Amino acid sequence: SKALLLSATGDILAETDGPCTNHWLVGVDKCIEGINDMVQKAKVSAGLDPDTPIYSLGMSLSGGEQKAAIQKLIDKMAERFPKLSQSYYITTDAIGAMATASDHGGIVVITGTGSNCKLVNPDGTQVGCGGWGHMMGDEGSAYWISHLAIKTVFDAKDNLAKPPHDITYVKKAMDEYFEVSDLMGMLPHLYRNFQKSHFAGFCRKLAEGANAGDALCQYVFTQAGKVLAQHIIAVLPKAHQELFSGELGLPILCVGSVWRSWELMKDGFTQVLSEAQTSSYSHFQKYSLLTLRHSSALGGAKLGAQNAGASLPVDYTSTASVFFSHTFTKQ
């Protein structure tokens, strides 16, 4: 997690790093302690009195969906840390990211340890797809890619399903990463000692394999590209017309570590969007993929200030940059 402390004129005064702040994963107490530590560190770093509350604390948190849970988080924070802030606001990581990149909306696709997709229309209305965690979703995430590769090995060894490609590299990488010698050795990692972030970390080894030419590693990333594009198609019917008409076409904000492997996902991703455009969305002429140049904490701060009745100026010409654009050819 990252905290940014901004002045009323939008200047960044301090930046601090902290632990995971997803209250569903670490619990409410650890979540708010981590947030308090980061903000207090930022105050000190900026030369401010840590005992003086800031005007507004806007948070862009993974797991920031449910209103009742969020209110409980805010109430507990205000009670335990009265010197932290005068006002509080919590939104999701997806909405915080979009507020960092643009005030006109677009689609944000997050894929790190988990995954999520949100459409934000220019009028602020939102439509989501995914974001249900690893038991019910997280398609296209590092967790999902790792699981797909490991499941392919298990199924091949059991003769349950024929693997799309040779499993030798993935099996060896799995044994080394998890420090096991057989499938039985994987059981503690899958159940008793399961740690989502560690399991998802295996995705890095798969990316190394894909870049070195292993066909199965390349396959799982292609599949990830396809399923991430499917999330975009899921929200397209609710997208307002003006989102398609800017010079970037449909802006798609890409957040999370898995996007660093864009070249490995590109073929699957572009194929699925092209097929959808041809069959159902003729008004969808162009799209651009953007990446943030600032932490989504900036969007959280902007929305928090807005919620507290203040306007925080953000220079949107420098908050995001385009790394891929595609214009569909007319059939």
Side-chain angles (χ1 to χ4, degrees):
S1 299
K2 201 176 276 291
L4 296 180
L5 183 59
L6 292 105
S7 69
T9 52
D11 297 313
I12 296 172
L13 304 177
E15 195 169 322
T16 54
D17 293 305
C20 171
T21 50
N22 184 333
H23 64 101
W24 294 115
L25 292 178
V26 300
V28 168
D29 289 332
K30 274 198 172 158
C31 171
I32 63 175
E33 283 162 15
I35 291 167
N36 179 64
D37 288 348
M38 282 191 289
V39 176
Q40 294 300 82
K41 268 191 220 160
K43 286 185 195 174
V44 172
S45 174
L48 302 177
D49 177 7
D51 289 342
T52 303
I54 57 174
Y55 178 72
S56 150
L57 177 55
M59 293 158 278
S60 162
L61 301 183
S62 182
E65 291 275 11
Q66 274 195 329
K67 283 190 169 62
I70 288 314
Q71 196 52 53
K72 181 183 164 193
L73 210 61
I74 289 173
D75 292 345
K76 205 154 187 187
M77 218 180 292
E79 180 194 329
R80 275 193 62 188
F81 307 112
K83 294 172 181 175
L84 185 57
S85 179
Q86 293 175 36
S87 75
Y88 297 89
Y89 177 79
I90 296 178
T91 186
T92 64
D93 47 358
I95 299 304
M98 185 49 76
T100 305
S102 164
D103 55 358
H104 295 306
I107 293 175
V108 56
V109 182
I110 297 178
T111 174
T113 304
S115 68
N116 196 4
C117 173
K118 273 271 190 296
L119 160 72
V120 182
N121 280 311
D123 66 355
T125 53
Q126 301 169 20
V127 180
C129 174
W132 301 115
H134 66 279
M135 288 292 282
M136 205 50 70
D138 275 348
E139 292 88 352
S141 69
Y143 164 83
W144 184 90
I145 292 167
S146 298
H147 184 272
L148 178 59
I150 291 169
K151 172 77 172 138
T152 302
V153 170
F154 270 67
D155 288 353
K157 289 289 184 187
D158 276 354
N159 200 29
L160 179 65
K162 188 175 186 297
H165 301 282
D166 184 80
I167 64 168
T168 306
Y169 176 90
V170 172
K171 171 72 169 67
K172 184 170 182 288
M174 180 185 87
D175 290 349
E176 287 172 4
Y177 180 81
F178 292 100
E179 297 179 350
V180 299
S181 56
D182 55 21
L183 299 189
M184 278 292 178
M186 284 296 294
L187 295 181
H189 295 286
L190 296 170
Y191 301 103
R192 189 174 64 234
N193 304 328
F194 175 72
Q195 283 182 296
K196 184 176 177 180
S197 57
H198 181 64
F199 191 88
F202 181 56
C203 184
R204 279 191 295 272
K205 298 295 176 193
L206 297 169
E208 288 169 13
N211 285 317
D214 181 72
L216 181 55
C217 291
Q218 290 172 344
Y219 168 83
V220 294
F221 277 96
T222 300
Q223 297 309 111
K226 287 181 178 180
V227 77
L228 290 171
Q230 201 58 53
H231 282 68
I232 293 165
I233 291 162
V235 299
L236 270 188
K238 296 288 172 70
H240 291 186
Q241 185 58 44
E242 57 262 47
L243 278 183
F244 298 94
S245 54
E247 62 177 277
L248 296 177
L250 178 67
I252 301 168
L253 180 63
C254 303
V255 178
S257 55
V258 177
W259 288 109
R260 290 181 203 146
S261 298
W262 162 244
E263 288 300 327
L264 299 174
M265 300 193 291
K266 182 177 172 180
D267 288 350
F269 184 91
T270 53
Q271 177 196 331
V272 167
L273 283 189
S274 293
E275 286 169 359
Q277 192 272 342
T278 305
S279 62
S280 310
Y281 299 99
S282 57
H283 61 291
F284 179 21
Q285 292 301 321
K286 180 182 179 180
Y287 63 90
S288 296
L289 304 186
L290 300 98
T291 186
L292 288 179
R293 292 162 72 176
H294 282 290
S295 157
S296 59
L298 180 64
K302 180 180 167 64
L303 295 172
Q306 203 172 297
N307 180 64
S311 177
L312 192 65
V314 172
D315 174 15
Y316 282 116
T317 59
S318 65
T319 54
S321 50
V322 174
F323 68 89
F324 179 78
S325 276
H326 180 77
T327 303
F328 297 110
T329 50
K330 289 187 169 60
Q331 297 299 311

